[in-house]
């Protein structure tokens, strides 16, 4: 593992490059990375734009993917690991799984943060939120990482999944609306059918028992038929 002086030496030799480098972010065993300009919420299924006046809001039990403000470039002699910060873990209830940064990496980093609390957590643009530690390899890595800079493939995949999930939820909502409409229509038809059955039965019975009441029942039946379209409206 490289200490702060080792990191300075590797920066001078171009084995490590950190865009938007800040001296105060350099730690005894690494470099503190900051919140970048965009994130992605799995709970809300949408991209989040972060900036001055637009903090990153992480809802309870939501997992948000955050792009770092800094870009990092490593030579084939240097690898890295990403670690959570005790301040955010202990005080804010945020956690993330440590991941590796391969030798030869170039670009910004994507970090997943999970809110374990029952209340929202807000982080501001350029807030420090994780630490990258660097390691000197005993021999230069030969295998290419085979991943695009900034992990654009992952970001595009997240946006595609969000779109697909929103489409699925919209289809489910439409199916539920149609189901409820059919249930309401069936209920209305059942009620009207029962009413007409009772009315016709009464009409037939009154005709044979008391013909004088047949005209009244016929008028009621006619009114029911006229009102039927309004009853069946969704």
């Amino acid at each position: 593992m490289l200490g702060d002086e080792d990191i300075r030496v590797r920066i001078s030799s171009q084995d490590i490059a950190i865009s938007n480098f800040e001296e105060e972010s350099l730690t005894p065993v690494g470099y503190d990375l900051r919140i970048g300009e965009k994130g992605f919420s799995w709970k809300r299924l949408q991209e989040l734009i972060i900036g001055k006046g637009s903090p990153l809001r992480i809802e309870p039990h939501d997992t948000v993917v955050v792009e770092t403000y800094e870009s990092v470039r490593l030579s084939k002699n240097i690898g890295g690991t990403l670690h959570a910060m005790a301040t955010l873990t202990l005080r804010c209830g945020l956690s993330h799984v440590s991941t590796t940064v391969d030798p030869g990496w170039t670009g910004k980093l994507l970090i997943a943060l999970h809110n374990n609390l029952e209340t929202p957590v807000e982080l501001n643009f350029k807030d420090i939120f994780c630490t990258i530690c660097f390691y000197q390899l005993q021999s230069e890595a030969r295998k290419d990482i085979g991943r695009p800079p900034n992990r654009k493939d992952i970001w595009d995949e997240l946006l595609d999944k969000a779109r697909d999930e929103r489409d699925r939820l919209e289809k489910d909502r439409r199916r539920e609306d149609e189901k409820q409409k059919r249930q309401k229509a069936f209920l209305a038809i059942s009620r009207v059918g029962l009413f007409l059955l009772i009315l016709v039965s009464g009409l037939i019975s009154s005709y044979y028992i008391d013909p004088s009441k047949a005209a009244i029942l016929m008028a009621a039946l006619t009114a029911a038929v006229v009102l039927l379209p309004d009853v069946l409206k969704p």
Side-chain angles (χ1 to χ4, degrees):
M1 178 184 288
L2 303 182
D4 51 356
E5 287 302 318
D6 300 318
I7 294 172
R8 287 192 180 94
V9 171
R10 298 310 190 282
I11 289 176
S12 298
S13 65
Q14 299 297 308
D15 278 334
I16 297 174
I18 302 174
S19 69
N20 302 311
F21 179 87
E22 294 285 349
E23 179 65 30
E24 56 266 29
S25 291
L26 189 62
T27 75
V29 292
Y31 185 89
D32 290 337
L33 298 170
R34 291 171 288 175
I35 297 288
E37 297 178 336
K38 64 180 182 179
F40 178 86
S41 166
W42 274 106
K43 193 171 187 178
R44 286 176 274 178
L45 292 173
Q46 65 181 35
E47 184 177 11
L48 308 175
I49 304 303
I50 310 165
K52 293 182 179 179
S54 300
L56 171 65
R57 180 181 175 90
I58 307 176
E59 299 296 336
H61 307 294
D62 189 12
T63 298
V64 172
V65 179
V66 184
E67 186 180 72
T68 60
Y69 178 67
E70 292 86 358
S71 291
V72 176
R73 181 181 59 77
L74 304 180
S75 72
K76 288 296 187 73
N77 298 307
I78 304 294
T81 53
L82 294 165
H83 301 271
M85 301 186 68
T87 302
L88 296 181
T89 301
L90 301 177
R91 294 180 180 176
C92 301
L94 295 177
S95 62
H96 75 78
V97 177
S98 295
T99 58
T100 60
V101 183
D102 292 333
W105 169 261
T106 298
K108 296 184 178 182
L109 298 158
L110 298 179
I111 315 296
L113 295 177
H114 182 75
N115 182 4
N116 298 285
L117 303 181
E118 300 297 333
T119 55
V121 174
E122 286 192 354
L123 298 175
N124 294 310
F125 177 54
K126 294 186 181 181
D127 275 354
I128 292 172
F129 75 111
C130 70
T131 300
I132 182 170
C133 296
F134 301 102
Y135 302 85
Q136 175 71 51
L137 276 64
Q138 291 184 344
S139 60
E140 182 177 294
R142 293 181 178 273
K143 189 174 182 179
D144 291 330
I145 59 177
R147 302 183 182 96
N150 303 314
R151 291 316 306 264
K152 185 177 184 300
D153 56 331
I154 289 181
W155 197 260
D156 290 343
E157 183 179 340
L158 289 175
L159 298 182
D160 289 342
K161 286 183 177 180
R163 185 185 63 250
D164 293 342
E165 183 64 12
R166 287 195 298 269
D167 290 343
R168 185 189 67 80
L169 292 175
E170 178 63 19
K171 289 179 181 178
D172 289 345
R173 185 190 65 79
R174 290 178 181 176
R175 280 196 295 265
E176 184 62 26
D177 289 345
E178 291 297 326
K179 181 181 178 181
Q180 291 181 1
K181 288 180 181 179
R182 289 194 298 269
Q183 289 176 341
K184 289 180 180 179
F186 176 77
L187 182 61
I189 292 173
S190 299
R191 288 176 176 173
V192 172
L194 180 60
F195 172 72
L196 293 178
L197 178 61
I198 295 173
L199 193 61
V200 171
S201 299
L203 178 61
I204 294 173
S205 300
S206 64
Y207 179 79
Y208 289 102
I209 297 173
D210 188 357
S212 63
K213 296 180 180 179
I216 298 176
L217 290 173
M218 182 61 72
L221 178 60
T222 302
V225 172
V226 171
L227 294 175
L228 182 59
D230 291 330
V231 174
L232 295 178
K233 284 182 179 179

